[in-house]
């Protein structure tokens, strides 16, 4: 945990000084929310609009995370660490960035789509949390895979979006149920799917990251 | 720092082959470097020196062959990495962090106490730069910090890739004295360079990378610059 704290602390400090990743993700999220909201869709479009925004915001931000680390990755790989810890720290940083984007875009979704978001906020936190963790795990794994590639900005969405499709569909389903006023137990299947997806991808990525960053 | 017996090999590489996209860069490199020795690897640009250093630094796996570090064939990689310091050609420092923040971060990765960073700032005369962000430092100053970073955990094996490139006379002199001090502590030093005079100033022994293979190790004192120039031209052909 000490190493993960150290790596995340460094990433947050760099982000605070550069404000590069969250500002890029946040700006894209705001634009997407406004454009999707401008179609005057009803409240039923809110879950899809939210998760399209989060998924695209994530691909943009996660590409930058590793791009900023590219020149320094050698030093991290040379340190006497389990490389899974590098994955854990990067995934945690990515997830925190996504949480910031989710929080700042939520008022827009509330204003443009449905006010139910405000009354269902505690229940809504569940799919946002579980979906965010899955997006961060997959994005970090593929981000590490393509860190040395040219055109990595184009590669990440191509690799990541098909893999996270089941996660996004389950997250949209859970969010729809919550905004429709269903109790949390009624969307248990979608939440379970999100949880299983998270467990599989966090565990597999932790174990595989050693080989992902190998030259 | 735990330096092994005098006769122990710090690095023992046998039959190293490394290919990228089926294109061989190293074609069977054998290299043995004794503990405490300073060895310079000379070679033209693109001859495979950096690839060899990355293999020795555990950053890459050979296509064929193998490396034994510190005479311990079955030591786990994290334990080996703990004993290696690397100064690659590019800076590994974070530009947006100060010199002190960089050293604290890298020291933290090795589990070092903050007091070690304080002493490193003094050892490498970096105290006046401690609060400056790396992005405002000159090439020579960056190299000084990069070297302090690599020596922070007092490695048994220090690997440097073209460390003299881009340095002025003063910075080169400082680098040479730091490396000499490191070697006098018993640290094994392997560096690459394409400048024979730089190699001769520091290393007792040199070897030359030609067409993906190393020549026999020879004394740096006997280097013939004209012969080397011929070899470099040959190696490029």
């Amino acid at each position: 945990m000490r190493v993960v704290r150290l790596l995340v602390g460094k990433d947050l400090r760099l982000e605070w000084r550069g404000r590069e990743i969250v500002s890029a993700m946040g700006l894209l999220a705001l634009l997407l929310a406004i454009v999707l909201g401008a179609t005057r869709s009803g409240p039923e479009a809110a879950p899809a609009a939210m998760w399209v925004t989060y998924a695209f915001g994530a691909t943009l931000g996660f590409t930058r995370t590793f791009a900023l680390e590219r020149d320094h990755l050698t030093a991290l790989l040379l340190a006497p660490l389990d490389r899974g810890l590098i994955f854990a720290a990067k995934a945690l940083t990515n997830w925190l960035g996504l949480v910031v984007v989710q929080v700042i875009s939520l008022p827009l979704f509330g204003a443009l789509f449905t006010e139910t978001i405000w009354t269902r906020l505690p229940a809504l936190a569940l799919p946002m949390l579980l979906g965010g963790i899955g997006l961060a795990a997959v994005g970090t794994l593929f981000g590490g895979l393509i860190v040395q590639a040219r055109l990595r900005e184009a590669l990440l969405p191509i690799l990541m979006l098909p893999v996270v499709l089941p996660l996004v569909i389950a997250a949209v389903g859970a969010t729809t149920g919550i905004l429709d006023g269903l109790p949390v137990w009624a969307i248990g299947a979608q939440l379970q799917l999100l949880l299983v997806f998270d467990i599989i991808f966090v565990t597999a990525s932790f174990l595989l990251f050693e080989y992902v960053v190998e030259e | 720092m735990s330096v092994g017996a005098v006769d122990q090999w710090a690095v023992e590489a046998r039959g190293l082959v490394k290919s990228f996209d089926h294109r061989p860069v190293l074609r069977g490199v054998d290299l043995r470097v004794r503990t405490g020795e300073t060895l310079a690897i000379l070679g033209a640009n693109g001859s495979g020196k950096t690839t060899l250093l990355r293999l020795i630094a555990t950053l890459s796996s050979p296509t064929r062959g193998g490396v034994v570090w510190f005479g311990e064939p079955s030591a786990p990689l994290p334990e080996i990495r703990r004993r290696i310091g690397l100064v690659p050609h590019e800076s590994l420092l974070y530009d947006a962090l100060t010199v002190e923040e960089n050293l604290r971060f890298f020291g933290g990765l090795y589990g070092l106490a903050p007091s070690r960073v304080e002493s490193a700032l003094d050892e490498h005369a970096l105290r006046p730069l401690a609060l400056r962000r790396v992005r405002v430092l000159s090439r020579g100053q960056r190299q000084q910090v990069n070297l302090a970073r690599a020596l922070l955990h007092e490695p048994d094996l220090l690997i440097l890739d073209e460390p003299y490139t881009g340095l002025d006379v003063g910075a080169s002199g400082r680098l040479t004295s730091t490396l000499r001090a490191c070697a006098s502590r018993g640290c094994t030093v392997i560096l690459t360079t394409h400048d024979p005079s730089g190699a001769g100033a520091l290393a007792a022994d040199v070897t030359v990378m030609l067409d993906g293979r190393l020549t026999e190790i020879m004394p740096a004192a006997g280097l013939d610059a004209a012969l080397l120039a011929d070899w470099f031209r040959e190696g490029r052909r």
Side-chain angles (χ1 to χ4, degrees), chain A residues 2-3 6-7 10 13-14 17 68-69 71-83 210 214-215, chain B residues 20 54 57-61 78 81-82 86 91-94 96-97 101 105-106 108-111 133:
Chain A
R2 185 191 61 79
V3 171
L6 183 75
L7 289 164
K10 180 264 299 171
R13 182 172 290 185
L14 289 173
R17 290 188 183 163
L68 293 175
E69 193 69 85
D71 295 337
H72 316 285
L73 205 54
T74 299
L76 298 187
L77 298 180
L78 192 66
L81 311 172
D82 182 332
R83 288 173 177 176
E210 165 96 35
E214 181 83 8
E215 192 172 84
Chain B
F20 295 101
R54 289 185 68 82
T58 76
L59 289 170
S60 177
S61 304
R81 288 181 183 132
R82 188 175 290 284
L86 173 70
S91 164
L92 298 181
L93 305 166
Y94 291 94
L97 298 184
E101 285 169 343
F105 169 70
F106 288 111
L109 291 181
Y110 288 82
R133 292 200 184 171

Side-chain angles (χ1 to χ4, degrees), chain A residues 87 101 122 164 180 185-186 188 190 198 204 211:
Chain A
F87 162 79
V101 171
V164 297
D180 284 347
W185 60 262
Q190 285 97 332
D198 287 357
Y211 307 101

Side-chain angles (χ1 to χ4, degrees), chain B residues 196-214:
Chain B
S197 60
L202 186 71
D205 295 314
V206 295
T207 179
V208 184
M209 177 74 81
L210 291 169
D211 198 24
R213 290 187 185 86
L214 287 177

